[in-house]
Amino acid sequence: MWCFALPAVAGLSDSQLARYRQGQPHWPPLSVDDGVDATPLGQLPELDKPSWQSAEVEALGKQLFFDARLSGSEQLACVSCHDPELGWGDGREKSYGHDRQRGRRNAMTLLNAAYFDTFFWDGRAKSLEKQALEPIENPLEMAADLSVVLARLNAVPAYRDAFRKALNVNAIDATALAKALAAFERTLVSRPNRFDRFLAGKSTLSDQEIEGLHLFRTKARCMNCHHGPLLSDGQYHNIGLALAESRHEDLGRYLDTGQEADKGAFRTPSLRDLIHTAPWMHNGLFVNLRGTLAAYNLGMQQGRRTGQPTMSPLIEPLHLSGDELDALNAFLHTLEQRPARFTAPQLPAR
């Protein structure tokens, strides 16, 4: 980790731009807060998969992901809130579920979900398999009885045969269902973007985009939380959006852990493909990227009001100029790559 105080950025010099274009070993020093162990930016590594995962399990999970038989009403499927055409989210501030009930939080994109160690905005699921099952029984989401769902699936000969071949089980149980869904979710990985190609020396960025990269690594303080290939530290921070003592109150990770330090803390999302995963934040509050940057620039003032839980010390006013915000915005657009086109699978007959 490096931590240096750098001067304000008002356009990089030709020599600084050249250093960035020479490759990451030549970049200027990184600037992060004391105690932040920031890992270098990079391309996504190959994802580790469990030994039981195979193409057959993934294909089975894909069918189940699109199958409304997993919901209480048999009208909703996992894809209802995690749509491939909407960045594997649903494009809504907060999702609608069973009986058109409004959920409490924004539907997180499933892109790159398998790279994390904990799941959901509050980290309450400790495995991808647990995450995959929870929406099925959530009364605000798919509102099903898991035993009823399993009975439905076991009543379909094609599913019983597929589970037997893919996972060597004679009866479909919760463990097998979770494995199949999680296996499919592990296939949802971002495609390489312009920044990945820049890191590999296969493409270049404009002067403004490189200035944005420099700000991202220094004055804008982004890499305190958004670092490594995933552009997320995978940790939980209160950035000032708990909105305590209002009808929109959400205390985040505290609701799972009961720890005072976790009040208002939510997981740092990956910034990969962020242009395709709007709206942003756990409550879908931000719909415009430039506006999001402006809120960070002001130090998330709403979180500093009386009665709000203590914010992370990593959040503070940035004092970026309009040109600097434009450069940072330009860099963030280099992280986008529209998710691959996706064809819905054919489902077994009812």
Side-chain angles (χ1 to χ4, degrees):
M1 180 191 77
W2 304 272
C3 186
F4 297 93
L6 294 177
V9 175
L12 297 184
S13 67
D14 289 345
S15 62
Q16 287 175 308
L17 291 168
R19 289 177 67 182
Y20 273 103
R21 291 194 168 101
Q22 287 170 359
Q24 194 160 187
H26 303 280
W27 290 1
L30 170 68
S31 177
V32 294
D33 284 19
D34 290 339
V36 175
D37 187 15
T39 54
L41 301 175
Q43 300 172 71
L44 285 174
E46 191 72 24
L47 185 63
D48 289 334
K49 297 180 180 180
S51 59
W52 51 262
Q53 184 159 332
S54 65
E56 290 76 18
V57 182
E58 293 167 2
L60 174 58
K62 180 178 177 180
Q63 286 183 308
L64 293 161
F65 192 88
F66 281 78
D67 198 330
R69 279 171 282 200
L70 271 62
S71 66
S73 66
E74 298 192 70
Q75 297 298 312
L76 296 170
C78 302
V79 73
S80 299
C81 292
H82 299 284
D83 191 325
E85 296 181 17
L86 297 170
W88 293 99
D90 64 4
R92 296 184 181 279
E93 177 183 308
K94 296 174 183 175
S95 300
Y96 288 101
H98 182 74
D99 280 346
R100 198 64 178 172
Q101 296 177 91
R102 198 77 189 269
R104 296 180 57 245
R105 293 176 181 160
N106 174 264
M108 298 188 85
T109 177
L110 287 180
L111 279 172
N112 310 312
Y115 284 96
F116 288 93
D117 296 322
T118 54
F119 305 89
F120 297 114
W121 282 107
D122 56 12
R124 64 187 183 275
K126 305 304 186 283
S127 71
L128 197 59
E129 286 76 12
K130 186 177 186 301
Q131 172 275 325
L133 288 185
E134 186 166 318
I136 295 175
E137 293 196 291
N138 188 311
L140 293 180
E141 297 183 55
M142 299 169 81
D145 182 320
L146 187 57
S147 64
V148 172
V149 170
L150 294 172
R152 285 179 191 157
L153 297 178
N154 276 293
V156 180
Y159 268 140
R160 289 202 312 274
D161 186 55
F163 270 92
R164 184 166 53 252
K165 291 178 178 176
L167 288 167
N168 194 31
V169 294
N170 290 320
I172 304 167
D173 59 14
T175 298
L177 175 58
K179 282 184 173 183
L181 288 170
F184 172 65
E185 291 180 4
R186 289 191 185 92
T187 69
L188 306 180
V189 176
S190 291
R191 297 190 296 164
N193 54 44
R194 283 206 299 132
F195 184 57
D196 289 320
R197 294 192 290 275
F198 175 74
L199 290 174
K202 297 178 180 179
S203 181
T204 188
L205 301 182
S206 70
D207 290 358
Q208 185 188 47
E209 290 165 343
I210 291 177
E211 289 173 11
L213 167 60
H214 184 67
L215 286 161
F216 187 91
R217 300 180 64 247
T218 56
K219 184 180 176 183
R221 302 170 57 80
C222 304
M223 284 193 62
N224 278 324
C225 300
H226 295 283
H227 54 76
L230 201 55
L231 292 157
S232 168
D233 61 2
Q235 301 302 308
Y236 297 82
H237 307 281
N238 176 4
I239 65 169
L241 296 177
L243 305 179
E245 301 180 0
S246 79
R247 64 188 179 90
H248 301 294
E249 177 180 281
D250 190 337
L251 299 183
R253 188 155 174 75
Y254 170 81
L255 300 176
D256 179 56
T257 68
Q259 300 295 312
E260 187 71 20
D262 288 331
K263 278 189 174 179
F266 296 89
R267 196 183 76 189
T268 305
S270 171
L271 295 183
R272 286 182 171 272
D273 300 321
L274 81 164
I275 307 304
H276 303 293
T277 60
W280 303 290
M281 309 302 173
H282 74 273
N283 51 13
L285 182 65
F286 295 154
V287 299
N288 177 279
L289 184 55
R290 188 61 161 72
T292 304
L293 296 178
Y296 275 108
N297 196 34
L298 293 172
M300 293 292 188
Q301 291 301 310
Q302 66 275 7
R304 304 180 188 280
R305 296 171 183 163
T306 301
Q308 299 304 305
T310 303
M311 285 175 60
S312 167
L314 300 176
I315 302 297
E316 62 181 46
L318 302 174
H319 308 293
L320 299 177
S321 69
D323 286 345
E324 288 173 332
L325 288 172
D326 288 341
L328 189 56
N329 184 70
F331 167 66
L332 291 175
H333 275 78
T334 72
L335 305 177
E336 67 169 299
Q337 179 60 271
R338 182 172 292 280
R341 287 185 176 275
F342 204 89
T343 303
Q346 183 174 352
L347 302 181
R350 288 182 176 271

